[in-house]
Amino acid sequence: MARGGSGFILALAHSSGSYVAHELLRQVAGGLDAGGVTADRIVYFDLDGGIAGLDGPTVARTRRAYFVAARDASTGTDSPNRSSMIAGAEAYPDRGGYYELDGSGAGCNAGATWCLHMTLITTKPHDPSNANGPADYGDY
């Protein structure tokens, strides 16, 4: 539970979980936190998700909002939502920015965008050619 004396609040969302996080942030900004306890305290990381559902007032209420994607420069492969993460950082430059994870050591095959997508939650995805949700989310 957030209290007035607490430090910052860290919120992370991966992939489609970002839409759930955006709804929560929107509700908090829209009056769910009527006392303002969370104002300017939420640090949000969108891990290769989407940016739909975010708007200026919602992001302005956070302390920071970072948009994160993965890239394997050795193969020229990007995680599938990299362009959205760059767009999110460009839309809200005063609140955070863009971070790029170097996925070159993850063992993903060239062109395996969904394997790179999983590098944001696990160091070495289980399937070098694709995502394996059950294994990648459950076995680190």
Side-chain angles (χ1 to χ4, degrees):
M1 171 181 271
R3 297 183 202 253
S6 301
F8 70 91
I9 301 162
L10 181 61
L12 298 112
H14 177 250
S15 194
S16 59
S18 66
Y19 299 109
V20 177
H22 300 169
E23 178 62 22
L24 174 64
L25 293 172
R26 233 181 8 258
Q27 286 188 23
V28 167
L32 184 64
D33 176 17
V37 174
T38 63
D40 201 36
R41 293 182 51 215
I42 298 171
V43 177
Y44 174 54
F45 284 85
D46 186 340
L47 306 176
D48 206 41
I51 57 172
L54 286 179
D55 60 24
T58 299
V59 175
R61 200 168 181 288
T62 66
R63 178 181 283 189
R64 293 281 183 253
Y66 297 103
F67 302 88
V68 187
R71 177 166 177 71
D72 183 343
S74 67
T75 64
T77 305
D78 300 328
S79 57
N81 298 316
R82 181 175 181 259
S83 61
S84 290
M85 296 299 89
I86 292 170
E90 289 172 349
Y92 309 107
D94 296 338
R95 274 297 181 214
Y98 172 73
Y99 283 107
E100 191 161 273
L101 174 74
D102 177 2
S104 62
C108 296
N109 295 339
T113 61
W114 290 103
C115 177
L116 274 175
H117 179 73
M118 300 311 275
T119 64
L120 294 157
I121 60 157
T122 187
T123 306
K124 190 162 180 73
H126 290 76
D127 183 347
S129 62
N130 208 341
N132 183 331
D136 291 333
Y137 282 115
D139 178 21
Y140 304 105

